[in-house]
Amino acid sequence: MNRLGLEKSPYLLQHALNPVDWFVWGDEAFEKAEHENIPLFLSVGYSTCHWCHVMERESFENREIAELLNRNFVSVKVDREELPDVDRLYMNYLQSSTGNGGWPMSVWLTPERKPFYGGSYFPPEDRYGLPGFKTILKSITRLWKSDKQTIIDRSCSFFSSLDQFSRTNPIALPGEDKAQNKCFEWLQTNYDSQFGGFGGAPKFPRPVLLNFLFNDAFYTGNKIALRMALNTLKKMAEGGIHDHIGVAGKGGGGFARYSTDARWHVPHFEKMLYDNAQLAVSYLEAFQCSGDIFFKSTAKDIFNYVLCDMTSPDGGFYSAEDADSLETASGTIKKEGAFYLWSADELREILEDETLTAIFSLTYGIRVEGNAMHDPHGEFIGKNILMQHATVEETADKFGKTTEEINTLLDDARAKLYRARAKKPRPFLDDKILTAWNGLMISALAKGYRVLHHEPYLNAAKRAADFILDKLYDRKKGLLLRRYRDGNAAIAGKAEDYAFFVQGLIELYEASFDDQYLLTALELAELQNSLFYDPVQGGYFSTAVDDNTVPLRLKEDYDGAEPSANSVSALNLLRLSEITGVEKFSIRAEETIKSCGTILSENSHALPQMLVALNFARKRKSRVILSGELYTPEMAQLRAVIDGRYLPGNVIMHASNELISIQRFPESIQTGAVHPQASLCIDRTCLLPINDPEMLAEALDKVMPSKTKGTSY
């Protein structure tokens, strides 16, 4: 066992028996490289990454390659989910130098940690039109010995250019809605009208784009934006990227990381907490905007998956499930998607009934020869990836049954397949608990409670928040930690940990009106400001001022698979300012948005979540202040009016004694044991309190009209 055997990261532990003399990212590795004057080889990945597993089997378990690494390099293994700032810095180099990125990430560095060569997956020998890993190791070793100074000189340019760019003043924000319009135009140009999504294969969900489209439709009445978002979500839910074998109260369901084809059919099968958290919010907002119960059902499916399969006994949420697993309990080689694939014969044997098999096969496109026609490597021949090919109505018409009868039969089939699948070896579970991703899931569950009125969602959100506060937040030291696993909390929190968790606490306050969550959100927002904020250019660095993890601090300026910490922080501060009346939060939010002025002017589609924050800052805002006893039928009716609507410019609060000590309310707002009522404030003007749900609905629709209802897609 090498050094990685002492770590907690599941990804690092997967490499603990490699013959490679791995180091973790830290002083021991850097000092050895400097002392021996040899390059660092940096390998970055994560535990559920399919091609990371492939490269390990092919290269890092290969003794000849291990010998080359051990003799000529200091090899460093990094879990990108533990150290996202390290990953982001060198991924920036990889993308700028090669035009490509991805994991596993392989980068060679000078002893001073300056990159000079990199790539993603490398086969062990020359093939696929790629140089073999062995070839690259020998070439770099030869060049380092013969022309080291040239390599060192060239390596300096990357950090220099990044540092120079970070000191460049951003240009002014575009006026009116120019940035929003440019983002929409880019999305419309890249929209796949047949299958939904943006661009071709491979296709990633990228929920931040859907957030923007719903937001844009609300403020502008842009029906095209709404149709694009709704159609994308519908096609994804019908596709193979969605696990269709979910059973309520049991498990299964949820979404895989991405699709290898344009139809959302053939995924890489790993499931990530951050994807499912964000998609749950997207499906809830789709339901709010359309009223279509299809989206409600999909959101419930995601919550069922997370609560059954991804929740620790203590309440925190696990990080991911692997793409690869053994085909049988006696198998020795893991295969991608083995847990999720079905042959036609296997389905017939499990479902037993001929009619049931025919109904299920029509609905989910089952073929004797297999249905994965877009399988990029021919790995799934003879296998089927479930994808909804026929609607329930079409299946009912074909078999002369009612839709209720078909739904009952499909539920029965899914239950049988779930029980059969439960006997297969499960994919590997990455059971580390990350503060940032838990924050996203807390947000989703809190919103799920508000929209769907299902109390277990609120209870799960509270348990997770309390877990983070108990295990990963040291109030005395003023430090939020990033990772918890196996009884160990470690790694200084990054900007995204603070931002995503603060967002979760704000959402949890609006769902529960427990003042402690709001007060903690305020506390952590202040702490984030002191540790990460750039007082010169504005915005937040990814790494704290006292954190020496990376040689150069960067700011996130891209809303990708996850939103950037800057985008989330800007919206957090704006919401906190509205809830508390503290103006300094809105000023800091505006400075953060302005720090991204260059990107918002030139490539606004790179920051769709920041555009959501920009709309909150510039557009009409509303506050609903509830007064009176919380747990009464009358209060529930008022809350249902608010929570059932998609209101991105609204905050909701309860006039408790704790909040009154922070926020100065108008005299018209009564507190204490009054009959439940709602006071609607538009910008800084408050209407008289309302205690009738219908009057509240009328007032909301009048002053904050949702322009998204009734749109077909």
Side-chain angles (χ1 to χ4, degrees):
M1 187 173 289
N2 55 47
R3 291 173 189 79
L4 302 187
L6 300 175
E7 296 300 309
K8 292 294 185 182
S9 158
Y11 177 63
L12 300 186
L13 289 170
Q14 287 172 351
H15 295 76
L17 295 176
N18 294 166
V20 178
D21 185 22
W22 289 115
F23 286 75
V24 297
W25 183 262
D27 290 340
E28 184 184 8
F30 310 147
E31 289 168 4
K32 178 178 171 63
E34 187 173 352
H35 177 71
E36 298 184 10
N37 199 14
I38 55 177
L40 293 150
F41 165 62
L42 173 63
S43 176
V44 183
Y46 55 102
S47 71
T48 57
C49 162
H50 172 69
W51 285 102
C52 298
H53 300 330
V54 173
M55 192 164 178
E56 182 196 9
R57 287 196 301 268
E58 292 180 337
S59 294
F60 301 143
E61 292 179 359
N62 182 305
R63 292 197 172 276
E64 183 182 356
I65 289 176
E67 186 180 347
L68 288 172
L69 284 168
N70 296 342
R71 187 169 61 243
N72 302 299
F73 303 90
V74 175
S75 300
V76 178
K77 179 62 73 173
V78 165
D79 182 341
R80 67 172 293 264
E81 295 168 357
E82 286 196 336
L83 298 177
D85 43 358
V86 174
D87 174 63
R88 194 171 292 119
L89 176 62
Y90 294 106
M91 186 62 73
N92 193 314
Y93 164 76
L94 188 60
Q95 291 172 330
S96 64
S97 61
T98 69
N100 297 304
W103 299 276
M105 176 168 64
S106 306
V107 181
W108 284 262
L109 319 173
T110 68
E112 295 74 32
R113 293 178 282 171
K114 296 176 180 178
F116 61 86
Y117 185 75
S120 182
Y121 162 80
F122 292 106
E125 309 287 348
D126 299 357
R127 66 172 188 248
Y128 307 143
L130 296 172
F133 191 54
K134 195 185 302 181
T135 300
I136 291 169
L137 292 176
K138 290 178 178 178
S139 297
I140 291 175
T141 299
R142 185 171 59 253
L143 286 170
W144 184 262
K145 290 177 178 177
S146 64
D147 201 6
K148 177 170 49 183
Q149 193 56 48
T150 299
I151 292 175
I152 291 172
D153 291 343
R154 289 178 178 175
S155 72
C156 296
S157 61
F158 174 65
F159 281 177
S160 297
S161 61
L162 272 185
D163 188 53
Q164 183 178 358
F165 177 78
S166 68
R167 296 174 187 275
T168 304
N169 290 325
I171 63 178
L173 288 173
E176 297 181 3
D177 293 333
K178 288 183 179 179
Q180 292 90 328
N181 293 339
K182 284 183 70 174
C183 181
F184 171 74
E185 289 166 5
W186 184 90
L187 289 170
Q188 189 174 29
T189 300
N190 288 276
Y191 177 63
D192 182 342
S193 59
Q194 184 176 7
F195 300 117
F198 305 93
K203 263 190 183 165
F204 292 81
R206 204 177 167 201
V208 288
L209 297 176
L210 306 173
N211 296 350
F212 166 77
L213 289 170
F214 285 129
N215 194 269
D216 188 62
F218 176 86
Y219 286 111
T220 67
N222 186 344
K223 303 290 188 181
I224 297 174
L226 183 61
R227 282 196 292 268
M228 286 161 59
L230 294 176
N231 188 48
T232 295
L233 286 165
K234 191 168 192 298
K235 295 297 184 183
M236 283 174 50
E238 292 174 344
I241 191 174
H242 180 202
D243 176 10
H244 293 275
I245 307 300
V247 176
K250 300 289 186 181
F255 283 78
R257 173 78 277 270
Y258 68 97
S259 173
T260 61
D261 63 295
R263 299 167 64 237
W264 304 107
H265 184 204
V266 182
H268 273 315
F269 291 87
E270 67 265 32
K271 294 178 181 177
M272 315 300 294
L273 180 66
Y274 64 82
D275 283 319
N276 283 281
Q278 293 178 88
L279 285 171
V281 173
S282 294
Y283 281 101
L284 289 169
E285 293 182 345
F287 172 59
Q288 287 178 310
C289 292
S290 69
D292 189 335
I293 61 171
F294 174 86
F295 299 114
K296 172 183 176 180
S297 175
T298 308
K300 290 170 67 176
D301 171 83
I302 295 173
F303 289 137
N304 181 66
Y305 164 65
V306 171
L307 295 182
C308 291
D309 294 347
M310 297 290 285
T311 304
S312 76
D314 294 325
F317 302 115
Y318 298 135
S319 293
E321 283 193 299
D322 207 337
D324 299 5
S325 60
L326 298 172
E327 288 188 293
T328 64
S330 60
T332 56
I333 298 177
K334 291 184 177 181
K335 292 190 176 181
E336 185 183 8
F339 190 66
Y340 302 97
L341 300 169
W342 307 91
S343 69
D345 288 342
E346 187 180 10
L347 288 169
R348 189 180 302 110
E349 182 179 341
I350 294 167
L351 298 179
E352 299 175 321
D353 183 83
E354 195 171 310
T355 301
L356 181 59
T357 301
I359 287 172
F360 190 85
S361 296
L362 175 65
T363 305
Y364 291 104
I366 306 303
R367 299 185 180 190
V368 173
E369 68 277 17
N371 68 6
M373 296 174 290
H374 298 272
D375 174 9
H377 302 292
E379 296 178 9
F380 308 138
I381 295 172
K383 299 290 186 177
N384 291 275
I385 301 170
L386 301 187
M387 177 175 181
Q388 189 165 351
H389 282 258
T391 65
V392 171
E393 291 75 16
E394 289 168 341
T395 303
D397 184 61
K398 172 77 172 178
F399 286 90
K401 295 182 180 293
T402 66
T403 55
E404 291 78 10
E405 288 173 323
I406 293 297
N407 276 323
T408 299
L409 288 167
L410 290 174
D411 286 343
D412 180 45
R414 283 189 288 265
K416 288 181 176 180
L417 291 173
Y418 177 84
R419 289 193 295 270
R421 192 173 75 174
K423 297 175 184 177
K424 293 183 179 182
R426 282 195 70 90
F428 170 79
L429 173 68
D430 187 323
D431 60 355
K432 69 177 179 291
I433 295 169
L434 296 173
T435 298
W437 296 2
N438 272 251
L440 293 174
M441 198 66 230
I442 291 165
S443 293
L445 285 162
K447 188 176 183 71
Y449 167 71
R450 292 182 61 190
V451 175
L452 305 179
H453 315 296
H454 188 52
E455 194 160 349
Y457 297 159
L458 179 60
N459 293 337
K462 285 182 175 181
R463 284 189 73 214
D466 293 345
F467 176 88
I468 299 296
L469 292 172
D470 180 47
K471 302 293 186 182
L472 288 150
Y473 182 34
D474 188 333
R475 272 194 166 90
K476 291 182 179 178
K477 293 182 179 179
L479 181 65
L480 185 67
L481 297 175
R482 178 167 177 81
R483 187 267 293 145
Y484 180 91
R485 183 176 184 271
D486 194 22
N488 175 265
I491 306 174
K494 311 303 176 182
E496 65 186 47
D497 294 296
Y498 286 79
F500 295 0
F501 189 47
V502 167
Q503 175 185 262
L505 292 172
I506 295 170
E507 297 281 2
L508 192 48
Y509 167 73
E510 290 192 326
S512 68
F513 297 124
D514 184 331
D515 294 320
Q516 290 307 307
Y517 294 124
L518 175 61
L519 295 174
T520 305
L522 292 168
E523 187 178 289
L524 285 168
E526 295 280 17
L527 188 55
Q528 181 184 344
N529 286 337
S530 66
L531 291 173
F532 298 92
Y533 193 73
D534 179 359
V536 178
Q537 302 283 10
Y540 294 88
F541 290 106
S542 298
T543 311
V545 66
D546 57 353
D547 185 343
N548 298 317
T549 304
V550 290
L552 184 68
R553 296 168 80 203
L554 296 180
K555 296 176 191 171
E556 291 179 74
D557 54 8
Y558 179 68
D559 295 323
E562 303 167 59
S564 71
N566 276 294
S567 296
V568 173
S569 297
L571 190 54
N572 286 346
L573 292 167
L574 290 165
R575 293 172 71 187
L576 289 173
S577 180
E578 285 297 304
I579 292 172
T580 65
V582 178
E583 190 177 4
K584 69 175 182 179
F585 288 137
S586 61
I587 294 172
R588 180 62 49 92
E590 289 169 9
E591 292 170 348
T592 299
I593 297 171
K594 288 177 183 176
S595 73
C596 298
T598 302
I599 296 173
L600 290 176
S601 295
E602 299 174 357
N603 297 296
S604 59
H605 62 272
L607 283 170
Q609 191 65 28
M610 185 66 82
L611 294 175
V612 172
L614 183 60
N615 275 341
F616 194 103
R618 286 181 171 178
K619 307 289 186 182
R620 200 176 199 187
K621 291 181 280 294
S622 65
R623 291 184 296 159
V624 178
I625 305 166
L626 298 173
S627 304
E629 174 59 45
L630 281 173
Y631 306 106
T632 64
E634 293 83 3
M635 183 66 83
Q637 290 173 353
L638 292 174
R639 293 194 64 178
V641 170
I642 304 158
D643 295 339
R645 284 164 166 73
Y646 175 67
L647 296 169
N650 183 69
V651 297
I652 182 172
M653 62 194 83
H654 180 246
S656 66
N657 291 331
E658 193 78 56
L659 190 59
I660 290 169
S661 67
I662 302 172
Q663 168 74 283
R664 181 177 297 175
F665 291 125
E667 292 181 3
S668 61
I669 297 174
Q670 302 177 40
T671 61
V674 298
H675 186 77
Q677 58 186 21
S679 299
L680 176 60
C681 303
I682 307 303
D683 290 330
R684 298 301 176 190
T685 303
C686 293
L687 308 179
L688 290 174
I690 300 169
N691 55 30
D692 180 75
E694 291 185 7
M695 292 179 63
L696 178 59
E698 184 179 337
L700 279 169
D701 291 340
K702 183 178 180 180
V703 298
M704 291 293 286
S706 175
K707 303 174 182 179
T708 59
K709 288 283 186 184
T711 298
S712 62
Y713 53 94

